[in-house]
Amino acid sequence: MNKGLLIVFEGIDGTGKSTQMSLLASYLKKKGFTVIETREPTNGKFGRQIRALYTNRRGVSREQELELFLADRQEHVHTVLTPGLQDGNIILCDRYFLSTAAYQGAVGFSPAEIIEKNIFAPPPDLALLFYVPPKIGIERITAGRGDTLNDFEQEASLQKVAAIFDSLEFPYIRRIDATGSIESIQKSVLLAVTPLLRHMNHNE
Ligand code: TYD
């Protein structure tokens, strides 16, 4: 049985979920919980291959790309998530299999079939699904980060991704309106997370 908690941060690009993940990590550490912060794609060998595709697809098909995301996740589950949960940590993960359902769903795969392919991955205790209109997400990426958009981030694609995120229904999903201030979004995050902390060990 898992003693830990798996909390995943999901949503389109530019919702501010990574900022919220850092804020939650600091809050939980202050409260005495042991926290592991991680993300997908990982920095492992498959994750690095995935990132390389952002700038040059090198003729890699959408099928091969999906397989890379799944291979990256398998490695992540075996090396970080399962051991971390068994040791009683709170794991915060920036993106997980709902991102695969939404992003690879948006390029033509069936979201339900993608979820089935993730049967090996422990379901999260909580998936915080951050939503903003795709236009605002894109403005945040280009203005805030000064970045150019990767393949997945063009507005038409993000609209499709957002529509799939909207359609997903699982008992562990909590939707977070991410259009407000950082502070107001953090309040919503804490409201969703606090009930899960009651049964967790911590040193305070
Ligand atoms: P992102 O969290 O934005 O990482 P980075 O900060 O390195 O850019 O994720 C990168 C992109 O990968 C993002 O646009 C969504 C995409 N993605 C998928 O298409 N499928 C997946 O399964 C995952 C985890 C991410």
Side-chain angles (χ1 to χ4, degrees):
M1 236 202 57
N2 282 336
K3 293 182 287 170
L5 276 183
L6 178 59
I7 302 178
V8 302
F9 290 67
E10 297 279 20
I12 61 168
D13 307 83
T15 59
K17 65 184 166 43
S18 309
T19 305
Q20 291 299 329
M21 189 172 115
S22 314
L23 288 171
L24 180 62
S26 308
Y27 170 89
L28 293 172
K29 286 178 198 164
K30 265 197 211 127
K31 293 259 170 206
F33 295 101
T34 54
V35 177
I36 295 175
E37 291 164 84
T38 185
R39 66 169 182 167
E40 293 187 2
T42 69
N43 294 321
K45 62 177 183 297
F46 299 113
R48 288 197 306 273
Q49 283 180 50
I50 292 167
R51 287 210 168 76
L53 297 181
Y54 296 172
T55 43
N56 180 352
R57 295 197 54 83
R58 293 178 185 81
V60 169
S61 70
R62 293 295 179 188
E63 282 76 14
Q64 289 167 322
E65 179 181 64
L66 174 59
E67 291 309 318
L68 278 177
F69 279 112
L70 294 170
D72 186 42
R73 180 157 308 122
Q74 264 175 4
E75 189 179 76
H76 197 206
V77 166
H78 292 303
T79 59
V80 178
L81 303 186
T82 301
L85 289 172
Q86 281 168 352
D87 287 348
N89 296 284
I90 300 184
I91 303 185
L92 306 183
C93 186
D94 194 343
R95 297 196 179 284
Y96 198 44
F97 59 71
L98 299 182
S99 277
T100 323
Y103 282 83
Q104 279 58 59
V107 296
F109 296 97
S110 142
E113 280 174 26
I114 293 171
I115 303 251
E116 276 172 32
K117 286 181 191 281
N118 280 277
I119 190 79
F120 63 86
D125 297 286
L126 176 65
L128 297 167
L129 215 172
F130 293 78
Y131 65 91
V132 293
K135 231 186 175 50
I136 293 183
I138 285 177
E139 276 165 24
R140 288 182 181 173
I141 299 168
T142 47
R145 296 199 323 226
D147 280 4
T148 49
L149 302 177
N150 74 37
D151 216 22
F152 300 113
E153 293 172 340
Q154 305 300 326
E155 186 170 345
S157 320
L158 275 195
Q159 298 277 11
K160 285 193 206 156
V161 174
I164 299 174
F165 272 131
D166 283 350
S167 73
L168 296 173
E169 282 183 54
F170 290 97
Y172 48 74
I173 290 181
R174 286 289 297 270
R175 292 188 151 79
I176 306 278
D177 178 349
T179 47
S181 67
I182 290 182
E183 293 73 24
S184 69
I185 302 168
Q186 196 191 7
K187 274 196 192 130
S188 315
V189 169
L190 290 182
L191 268 179
V193 170
T194 305
L196 298 179
L197 301 177
R198 283 193 200 114
H199 307 292
M200 291 289 298
N201 292 325
H202 62 122
N203 338 299
E204 199 185 38

